[in-house]
Amino acid sequence: MLLAIDVGNTQTTLGLFDGEDMLHMWRISSDTTQSTDELRITLHGLLTMEGISRADVDGMALATVVPAAKHMWMKVGRTMFGLDVLDINVRTAGDLIDITNYRRSVLGADRIADAVAARAFYGAPVIVVDFGTATNIEVIDKDGCFVGGVIAPGVMSSMNALFSRTALLPQVELVDPKAAIGRNTIKAMQVGIVYGEVDRVDGLVHRIEDQLGYKAKVVATGGLASTMAKLTTTVTEINPELTLQGIRLIYENQPK
């Protein structure tokens, strides 16, 4: 079985694959202050809970945008499973991603995995909206090339910034406010945060399609995809597993 690991700034998503099938998916906090032993204990508990032994895991692949987490997971792979962990990057992605039309060769591992999986599952052209700590948008053109995208503050980052700088505003739940005019403080904040995010995404997608000169499928992923994407007018698919599936595809494409 393959253990695919996507370490974000806030959450770490784990997927356990048997071939193409994802058997289990877990989300844990991305806590770089914990020790490797603490991480091993957490991982052991997740596997044990599902009746999975360490011997069942014969492959590991890691996509991380958190440098401190890379060493930690590499060590967990060696000490807990006796495995070398595949580091997801442009080199290991190989021919699964074409970045010849992108001006920089350095891409975040999560963006690489999203682009690989989106092209594999949805064809081209396709746009990925990843609702995480940052809201990332990846663009694959009609020729199947990664041509760039957008990196913006995520909805939780924006909300936390608002709360930290405004002493009198309360925490609010990320739900559909159902109206564009907030009749109280809570509703007004939900309109600004929730509708502000989905309208920003819709506006960016429209601008991207205008620049491409054609429409594209729009796929949402990330921890907040199910909450935010259903309120947009541009997202056509929601796939919470997309990044993990991209990690799996890259792992399976390695030379044997």
Side-chain angles (χ1 to χ4, degrees), residues 74-242:
M74 294 292 180
K75 188 174 180 180
V76 167
R78 291 190 300 269
T79 58
M80 189 171 179
F81 301 99
L83 297 171
D84 291 327
V85 182
L86 177 69
D87 182 24
I88 301 299
N89 52 48
V90 170
R91 179 184 59 81
T92 54
D95 60 2
L96 293 179
I97 184 170
D98 182 346
I99 62 167
T100 54
N101 291 331
Y102 188 60
R103 293 186 177 179
R104 293 189 61 180
S105 59
V106 179
L107 287 174
D110 54 339
R111 300 180 71 194
I112 293 168
D114 283 347
V116 166
R119 189 174 73 168
F121 292 134
Y122 302 100
V126 62
I127 298 168
V128 181
V129 182
D130 192 335
F131 291 95
T133 304
T135 296
N136 292 341
I137 302 179
E138 320 305 344
V139 183
I140 306 294
D141 70 10
K142 63 183 179 181
D143 298 318
C145 297
F146 176 85
V147 294
V150 177
I151 302 174
V155 63
M156 292 301 295
S157 299
S158 299
M159 185 166 65
N160 291 336
L162 178 65
F163 296 147
S164 68
R165 295 178 181 273
T166 49
L168 296 180
L169 292 181
Q171 296 274 348
V172 298
E173 187 179 2
L174 289 177
V175 296
D176 185 356
K178 305 293 186 182
I181 300 174
R183 300 291 185 180
N184 56 52
T185 300
I186 297 294
K187 288 292 185 182
M189 292 175 66
Q190 287 172 333
V191 170
I193 294 167
V194 177
Y195 285 172
E197 176 70 1
V198 299
D199 287 352
R200 178 176 68 168
V201 167
D202 283 339
L204 287 170
V205 169
H206 288 313
R207 287 178 178 271
I208 289 167
E209 290 179 333
D210 286 345
Q211 183 173 336
L212 289 174
Y214 45 80
K215 296 289 187 180
K217 292 180 181 176
V218 182
V219 184
T221 192
L224 292 173
S226 58
T227 300
M228 308 302 293
K230 63 185 179 182
L231 300 177
T232 69
T233 59
T234 55
V235 172
T236 54
E237 302 280 348
I238 299 175
N239 187 342
E241 302 177 5
L242 191 72

